[in-house]
Amino acid sequence: MSTSIVQIPFHSTSINAVMHEGKPFVSLRHMCESLGIDIESQRKKLNNKAWATAVLITATGSDGKTYPMTMIDRRTMTMWLATIDVNRIKEESRELLINFQNEAADVLDQHFSGAVAQAFDPASLSRLDILRMAMESETRVHQLESKIEADAGKVAYVDEHVDPKDVTLFRTVCRNLQINESDLRKALIYRRWIYVSNTYIMGGYTVKEYAAHHNFQAYFKVCKYHNKKTGSVTNRETLKVTPEGVAAITRFVEKLTKEYGSVRDALPHLEIKYNQRKGIAA
């Protein structure tokens, strides 16, 4: 069964949307094409975001044919648009991006307000339904309050030492930039952004810990290693990246790619310069 696409006029383009399970979803491909950005890279970005909701919906286009389309819900659309840097897209698309960021959610809500309101009609609820919903809500609130109180100490420790806000795992930065993690570590070592602070053997494998050189400490934060599957925290340390660091690493990767073709191709040149500096220092 397919769903008909609705084309909502929006400035110089349109928002292609459908109603799915009582909520409006928009076409990711159409928005990417309107902005002149690559859909595959954006799809990969969303696949790595815990907050993203993307579904494959078979929809009927204006030509009467059916197509499988990647659709994102309203919440995902607003958060995704906020991740796009206006300075990193074509100049002719920048005004449209700003309009999308400022107005798209409101336009979507305005168009589908009738359908959303119809999906849930409070007048259809009986007094028994209302009482049951109130009791369930009170029970959930009590459970959440108990959980918050029990975990308060653990949360405080994790926020401070393990998982502070606004930092990103190094491997996540590499995944988003679509580069090899080992290549980027070597490049940052050669450019003296980071260094190996500790090496030890664990389970038969050599484990390395990293720290940032003084001039680049604003880009990185050393955190305790947190195993999210078990919830355990160890004495191992891992280097995470701050928002400033993500921006700086992105610029660094772009520069190396422009000069040498890729980060990997740049490594021999960076290593030579690194060894020369070490020789002079010696």
Side-chain angles (χ1 to χ4, degrees):
M1 180 178 179
S2 65
T3 306
S4 296
I5 298 172
V6 177
Q7 293 186 337
I8 307 171
F10 187 86
H11 292 272
S12 59
T13 183
S14 64
I15 299 175
N16 286 8
V18 299
M19 283 296 291
H20 177 68
E21 296 182 349
K23 295 194 300 182
F25 280 70
V26 301
S27 167
L28 179 64
R29 176 177 295 278
H30 185 73
M31 294 192 77
C32 287
E33 290 175 349
S34 298
L35 294 171
I37 57 179
D38 178 56
I39 180 166
E40 292 304 324
S41 62
Q42 298 305 313
R43 186 183 284 123
K44 289 179 181 178
K45 179 197 292 186
L46 290 175
N47 286 340
N48 293 323
K49 300 298 183 183
W51 45 258
T53 299
V55 296
L56 193 65
I57 297 176
T58 301
T60 304
S62 58
D63 57 1
K65 297 180 180 179
T66 58
Y67 303 92
M69 295 185 175
T70 299
M71 311 292 285
I72 56 178
D73 65 2
R74 176 195 182 282
R75 178 174 175 273
T76 301
M77 178 191 72
T78 56
M79 296 183 70
W80 166 64
L81 287 170
T83 67
I84 303 175
D85 186 349
V86 70
N87 295 314
R88 298 189 64 190
I89 67 173
K90 296 178 180 179
E91 187 172 355
E92 59 266 26
S93 300
R94 292 177 183 176
E95 183 178 355
L96 180 59
L97 172 60
I98 294 171
N99 290 331
F100 269 136
Q101 292 172 333
N102 291 333
E103 305 171 26
D106 292 338
V107 170
L108 200 63
D109 288 346
Q110 183 178 2
H111 182 87
F112 285 108
S113 58
V116 173
Q118 188 177 5
F120 175 73
D121 182 9
S124 65
L125 296 175
S126 68
R127 294 181 63 184
L128 184 61
D129 290 331
I130 295 173
L131 179 61
R132 176 179 53 78
M133 292 171 65
M135 293 179 65
E136 290 176 352
S137 177
E138 185 175 352
T139 300
R140 286 196 298 269
V141 169
H142 178 71
Q143 291 173 340
L144 288 172
E145 288 177 344
S146 300
K147 178 68 173 173
I148 291 171
E149 183 177 354
D151 290 347
K154 183 189 297 183
V155 169
Y157 178 84
V158 169
D159 284 348
E160 177 65 22
H161 302 289
V162 181
D163 194 20
K165 301 296 183 291
D166 297 329
V167 294
T168 306
L169 283 171
F170 191 86
R171 67 167 58 94
T172 301
V173 175
C174 295
R175 188 186 303 123
N176 291 341
L177 292 174
Q178 299 181 24
I179 57 176
N180 181 271
E181 183 177 349
S182 177
D183 290 348
L184 182 57
R185 286 193 191 277
K186 290 178 182 178
L188 294 178
I189 288 174
Y190 292 153
R191 290 301 296 268
R192 299 185 63 80
W193 287 31
I194 64 174
Y195 62 94
V196 178
S197 60
N198 188 26
T199 303
Y200 55 91
I201 304 297
M202 185 176 70
Y205 295 94
T206 301
V207 178
K208 295 181 180 179
E209 294 179 349
Y210 299 86
H213 285 286
H214 178 73
N215 291 341
F216 297 93
Q217 289 180 356
Y219 295 166
F220 304 95
K221 184 176 180 65
V222 175
C223 304
K224 295 294 183 182
Y225 180 78
H226 179 210
N227 188 325
K228 291 189 176 181
K229 291 184 178 179
T230 63
S232 62
V233 178
T234 70
N235 288 327
R236 292 172 53 193
E237 293 181 339
T238 183
L239 197 64
K240 296 187 178 181
V241 188
T242 66
E244 292 179 14
V246 172
I249 289 174
T250 301
R251 293 193 298 269
F252 177 57
V253 169
E254 289 175 345
K255 181 181 179 182
L256 292 183
T257 302
K258 184 177 181 180
E259 291 182 7
Y260 301 103
S262 70
V263 174
R264 178 164 297 179
D265 291 336
L267 290 179
H269 305 276
L270 297 178
E271 184 178 16
I272 290 172
K273 294 179 181 178
Y274 174 74
N275 290 332
Q276 288 175 343
R277 285 195 298 269
K278 286 181 65 176
I280 293 173

